[in-house]
Amino acid sequence: MDYASALALGVGFGLPLAVAFAATAQGRAAAAAAESMARQPEAAGDIRGTLIISLALIESLVIYVLLAFFLLNGKLPAIMDYVQQAGQ
Amino acid sequence: MHEEHGSWLNAIVHMLPESVQHHYVDIFVVNSWLVIILLVLLAWLGTRRRQRKPAGLQNVWEMYVEWVRSFCRKEIGPDGEKHVPLLGTIFVYILFLNLFGLVPGFITPTMTLNMTLPLAVVVFLWVQWSGVAALGVGGYIMHFVGQPVWLAPINIPVHVTGEIAKPLSLAIRLFGNMFGEETALVQMAALGATIFAATYIPFPVQFINVALHLLVGPIQAFIFFALSAAYIKMATTHEGEEHHEEGAGEHDEAQSAEQAV
């Protein structure tokens, strides 16, 4: 496997991997928050604030990966160059 | 090659001399100036003729200030009122910056790191300063040394790294969210153009992204604001005090359990 195909795999699979784990984590956080809101409706305001902040903290990790994705995406060779190179 | 973003202000910037526009004028900064002028105007209009029975814009500002005050009291503690000016300014400024790109012909200034990093640095400096003001120089240093004093060689680098990571993560979170949002919007608009070229049906594919932008902008502004408040709280409270609070919480729980029984 040469450099470009390894890079393409990294670019393609990095972000979905991060999204999958972060979605699991966010789902757990939201489920726990909904459960505790149902149990204690008078504390719903506090729980909602905590939920938003913790969701943002989880989300920010995905955003870091998104930035890495954009950085790596710029390093991929243009497709026509690659086709010409393969043809030679 | 000078990178350009679509904005009506480009025409104004191009009227400036070459040397000025390439070295001193950034289109994002010009947009943020517009936001500042807009906010100053709104504040001036809201407080021009103050009445005991508020109406219109004055009502909006009073509600906002009231909300920020109660938030600071709840998050930071009874001493939180003195952080209201900075935190309130940050929230409303970032909110307007985030939503400014939705006005046709303008761009979102927070989609560059150059715009978000200074905001985070301001918060960082304020957090450190209020830590010194609340705990004194000795308490501030002890905050870095940590609880078992003999662990100081490990604790100090960890705490210093953590303090530097906080503004970085604040800035990169806001920048990444806004940049990702705008990039997705541009890609969707390009897709719409492709569809139009193939089928001659104008279809606004980016519509759903614009709706998402309306949601993400305020949420990110709130997160920047709430995390700043949380960092101020962390810097201004002793580590021992948290145990007291936990103890009080347990006490309250015990009381409410008794009441429930």
Side-chain angles (χ1 to χ4, degrees), chain B:
Chain B
M1 186 63 195
H2 195 59
E3 196 184 345
E4 270 196 2
H5 298 267
S7 168
W8 286 340
L9 299 171
N10 282 344
I12 302 169
V13 171
H14 275 290
M15 282 191 281
L16 296 169
E18 282 272 314
S19 56
V20 174
Q21 59 167 284
H22 282 273
H23 291 108
Y24 299 105
V25 178
D26 184 55
I27 199 74
F28 293 103
V29 177
V30 179
N31 272 280
S32 75
W33 288 341
L34 281 184
V35 171
I36 293 171
I37 291 170
L38 180 70
L39 280 174
V40 168
L41 255 177
L42 285 176
W44 179 72
L45 284 176
T47 55
R48 191 175 38 163
R49 269 188 236 105
R50 278 182 287 176
Q51 289 151 353
R52 288 199 67 81
K53 208 192 277 177
L57 207 54
Q58 189 193 347
N59 221 343
V60 176
W61 283 118
E62 281 190 8
M63 270 171 64
Y64 174 65
V65 170
E66 202 59 37
W67 177 73
V68 174
R69 266 192 193 160
S70 69
F71 185 87
C72 285
R73 260 200 306 267
K74 207 173 68 183
E75 287 291 314
I76 305 172
D79 225 18
E81 292 261 328
K82 64 182 174 198
H83 307 291
V84 167
L86 180 81
L87 291 178
T89 311
I90 276 185
F91 179 76
V92 76
Y93 184 44
I94 293 179
L95 177 71
F96 273 68
L97 287 181
N98 284 352
L99 295 180
F100 203 53
L102 290 178
V103 183
F106 297 103
I107 49 179
T108 309
T110 36
M111 61 181 273
T112 49
L113 202 54
N114 294 347
M115 194 69 228
T116 59
L117 201 56
L119 288 168
V121 167
V122 168
V123 169
F124 171 75
L125 292 176
W126 178 263
V127 165
Q128 303 309 318
W129 183 83
S130 54
V132 173
L135 304 177
V137 178
Y140 177 75
I141 291 169
M142 282 312 286
H143 205 271
F144 282 92
V145 171
Q147 205 46 271
V149 178
W150 53 272
L151 271 181
I154 302 173
N155 270 341
I156 290 175
V158 168
H159 279 133
V160 169
T161 316
E163 287 297 317
I164 294 170
K166 277 174 193 171
L168 268 181
S169 76
L170 269 184
I172 292 176
R173 178 179 306 115
L174 184 57
F175 156 64
N177 269 292
M178 283 317 167
F179 178 68
E181 198 68 36
E182 295 279 325
T183 311
L185 219 149
V186 167
Q187 293 298 330
M188 284 296 165
L191 180 65
T194 314
I195 290 175
F196 181 70
T199 63
Y200 296 104
I201 302 169
F203 189 65
V205 193
Q206 78 274 26
F207 171 75
I208 208 86
N209 283 71
V210 173
L212 200 66
H213 199 298
L214 268 179
L215 193 71
V216 168
I219 287 182
Q220 287 307 315
F222 175 72
I223 282 161
F224 198 100
F225 161 77
L227 283 178
S228 305
Y231 293 156
I232 289 172
K233 187 193 159 71
M234 275 187 228
T236 53
T237 46
H238 292 284
E239 299 199 346
E241 264 179 35
E242 287 165 20
H243 297 295
H244 283 298
E245 278 173 10
E246 277 169 27
E250 280 165 24
H251 188 64
D252 283 350
E253 272 176 18
Q255 264 189 346
S256 58
E258 278 172 17
Q259 280 169 0
V261 168

Side-chain angles (χ1 to χ4, degrees), chain A:
Chain A
M1 192 190 287
D2 62 338
Y3 168 74
S5 28
L7 187 62
L9 279 178
V11 169
F13 281 111
L15 190 56
L17 206 65
V19 167
F21 284 113
T24 316
Q26 288 197 336
R28 277 192 191 182
E35 203 173 298
S36 47
M37 269 189 219
R39 197 173 292 159
Q40 257 185 316
E42 68 272 12
D46 290 348
I47 294 169
R48 197 172 295 122
T50 317
L51 175 69
I52 288 176
I53 289 179
S54 49
L55 285 187
L57 286 175
I58 299 168
E59 176 110 357
S60 67
L61 299 177
V62 185
I63 297 295
Y64 300 155
V65 179
L66 180 73
L67 290 181
F69 166 79
F70 279 123
L71 286 177
L72 288 178
N73 203 12
K75 287 204 186 341
L76 277 173
I79 184 125
M80 286 321 288
D81 295 352
Y82 208 62
V83 168
Q84 277 170 4
Q85 204 184 3
Q88 280 166 5

